[in-house]
Amino acid sequence: TQLLEQSPQFLSIQEGENLTVYCNSSSVFSSLQWYRQEPGEGPVLLVTVVTGGEVKKLKRLTFQFGDARKDSSLHITAAQPGDTGLYLCAGGPEYGNKLVFGAGTILRVKS
Amino acid sequence: ETGVTQTPRHLVMGMTNKKSLKCEQHLGHNAMYWYKQSAKKPLELMFVYSLEERVENNSVPSRFSPECPNSSHLFLHLHTLQPEDSALYLCASSQDEGQGGYEQYFGPGTRLTVT
């Protein structure tokens, strides 16, 4: 069974601080996706990375896929209250369409 | 706007009631999913439909019955639920198969409370 472990589970920081969220597994994934979910809403896809070592940037968010395609990180620079939410990572299998989700990281950015 | 809509957004039902959740996707995808999201737990995949055929059923109790009449619509029929079934039920869709065919787009969810 493929598992994805996210850390930390909860993060509370001040506006302007930087943070990194990690997503780790012992399994290899063909792709890794990051979602953000706000209370009462569904997850919204932020990015998909598919190549080992790939780095993608989305404004103040930087996503990296590990060289071995077993782990990923999300780095936020100068966090803002609007970044508050649940961040989920999800791994795509080599075959099929069943994503494996991590338990999520709850981020709270205080102004 | 994610292109996936769900109704109702909130539902309160008794254990003896029968209700249905509806999902519609406007993205031209041909795979649809039902997930259950409970507090402090990873998303639980319940059902997967690909080209309107059910291809995955993760040992979900029979009190949950899915229906996919076409590639744009997905239903989850509920009957004789238990209080522990209270959760956020999410629908998602994706383009099926092939490399990179795993990006799933979610609806806003239905918050279900079983009393």
Side-chain angles (χ1 to χ4, degrees):
Chain A
T1 302
Q2 295 180 306
L3 293 173
L4 273 171
E5 294 186 2
Q6 280 189 247
S7 62
Q9 291 183 342
F10 181 76
L11 195 54
S12 180
I13 61 172
Q14 289 295 134
E15 182 177 2
E17 292 183 7
N18 302 331
L19 67 116
T20 302
V21 176
Y22 300 93
C23 181
N24 296 298
S25 177
S26 58
S27 303
V28 175
F29 292 98
S30 66
S31 68
L32 203 294
Q33 300 170 35
W34 285 93
Y35 292 83
R36 187 176 81 188
Q37 184 178 17
E38 298 188 17
E41 299 295 331
V44 174
L45 180 65
L46 296 174
V47 77
T48 300
V49 285
V50 297
T51 306
E54 183 177 2
V55 176
K56 280 192 174 179
K57 291 191 175 183
L58 186 65
K59 297 183 180 178
R60 295 176 292 100
L61 278 61
T62 301
F63 305 86
Q64 184 164 9
F65 202 10
D67 291 341
R69 293 186 291 137
K70 292 182 178 181
D71 54 84
S72 181
S73 64
L74 158 60
H75 182 79
I76 301 179
T77 304
Q80 298 178 1
D83 296 326
T84 293
L86 174 67
Y87 288 82
L88 296 164
C89 65
E94 294 285 343
Y95 301 99
N97 51 12
K98 179 181 173 182
L99 289 178
V100 176
F101 279 87
T105 294
I106 298 173
L107 172 64
R108 180 185 173 196
V109 182
K110 296 175 285 187
S111 57
Chain B
E1 178 59 52
T2 63
V4 180
T5 59
Q6 288 186 243
T7 55
R9 292 294 309 273
H10 301 273
L11 178 61
V12 179
M13 59 186 289
M15 289 191 285
T16 58
N17 291 157
K18 291 184 179 181
K19 296 286 185 184
S20 296
L21 310 184
K22 179 183 176 182
C23 174
E24 185 173 358
Q25 60 96 0
H26 311 274
L27 301 170
H29 292 161
N30 51 26
M32 297 187 77
Y33 311 78
W34 279 117
Y35 287 90
K36 176 183 179 183
Q37 188 175 37
S38 304
K40 301 180 182 179
K41 286 186 178 181
L43 281 170
E44 299 174 49
L45 179 64
M46 300 176 72
F47 300 102
V48 179
Y49 277 83
S50 176
L51 297 172
E52 301 155 40
E53 288 191 16
R54 190 162 74 189
V55 297
E56 182 89 31
N57 173 1
N58 277 8
S59 301
V60 178
S62 59
R63 57 186 182 268
F64 296 91
S65 175
E67 178 189 0
C68 187
N70 55 61
S71 60
S72 298
H73 294 86
L74 185 65
F75 295 89
L76 186 63
H77 303 300
L78 316 171
H79 64 97
T80 58
L81 294 190
Q82 304 299 311
E84 60 264 29
D85 297 322
S86 298
L88 182 68
Y89 288 84
L90 292 162
C91 173
S93 70
S94 74
Q95 193 61 43
D96 195 17
E97 303 300 330
Q99 285 293 325
Y102 315 119
E103 291 186 342
Q104 294 184 14
Y105 294 83
F106 286 83
T110 294
R111 172 65 64 185
L112 174 66
T113 303
V114 181
T115 60

